[in-house]
Each structure stands twice: as C-alpha cells, then as structure tokens.
Amino acid sequence: PATVEFAGLYQQIYQKTPKFLEAISYDNAMILFSTAGDETVDSRAALKDALKNNRIFNGATGHTFFDQDGRARRPLFLITVKRGRFVEISR
C-alpha cells in the first residue's frame, strides 16, 4: 500500500512514474525526518540511537529497520515478469 500511494502521488506531481532512486531517496528522507522529529532526539548520538531502537519504517520501498550496527535492513522479495509487468512472487 505505501508503494502504491507513493507512486500515485509522485505521478500526480511530476507526471511520470518514479524509479527506484526516487523511492529510496524518499524513504531515506522520511526515515531521517520522522526520527529527528522525535522529541527525545536532541543530538547526533540520540538520532543514531533512535534509529537503532528497533523502529520499523514502512515506506515506498517496503519495511526498513536498522540493526545494532546501524545498517539498514530490508526484507528481500522476489519479482517476476508476467504479461509485461513486474509482479512480486508470493511465498
């Protein structure tokens, strides 16, 4: 749902379909803004700790969370092409 919403709004504003770079850039900015906007975040160290605090961010590219080392983690998914369209493979 978040992907469809992002793509629709992007299409409406820019009259073109967003690519992966636009989606991942949007997600990264939203992760940063939403975390930095937390009233407990008042320094770079607090921002880093807040990101690593097991928050799950639901964005245009799916769910993202940060592990204890500060690396972004996203669930992998597989896609295939059916009738000329990308389709996610169900598990």
Side-chain angles (χ1 to χ4, degrees):
T3 305
V4 172
E5 181 180 359
F6 168 76
L9 290 172
Y10 189 95
Q11 178 91 29
Q12 194 174 36
I13 293 168
Y14 299 105
Q15 280 74 52
K16 63 181 183 176
T17 303
K19 295 189 168 93
F20 181 74
L21 184 59
E22 288 85 4
I24 198 76
S25 297
Y26 172 82
D27 281 355
N28 290 336
M30 293 308 294
I31 288 169
L32 182 61
F33 294 148
S34 67
T35 305
D38 186 321
E39 61 189 34
T40 63
V41 174
D42 58 0
S43 68
R44 289 186 311 183
L47 177 62
K48 181 180 175 182
D49 290 341
L51 286 170
K52 294 190 319 185
N53 196 20
N54 294 324
R55 294 182 185 200
I56 298 175
F57 302 94
N58 186 21
T61 61
H63 300 296
T64 303
F65 71 96
F66 293 85
D67 65 17
Q68 290 303 312
D69 295 326
R71 291 187 206 126
R73 301 292 183 180
R74 292 186 168 91
L76 295 177
F77 61 93
L78 299 174
I79 57 173
T80 187
V81 178
K82 286 186 181 178
R83 298 184 199 124
R85 298 185 66 180
F86 291 107
V87 178
E88 185 174 351
I89 297 173
S90 300
R91 295 179 182 185

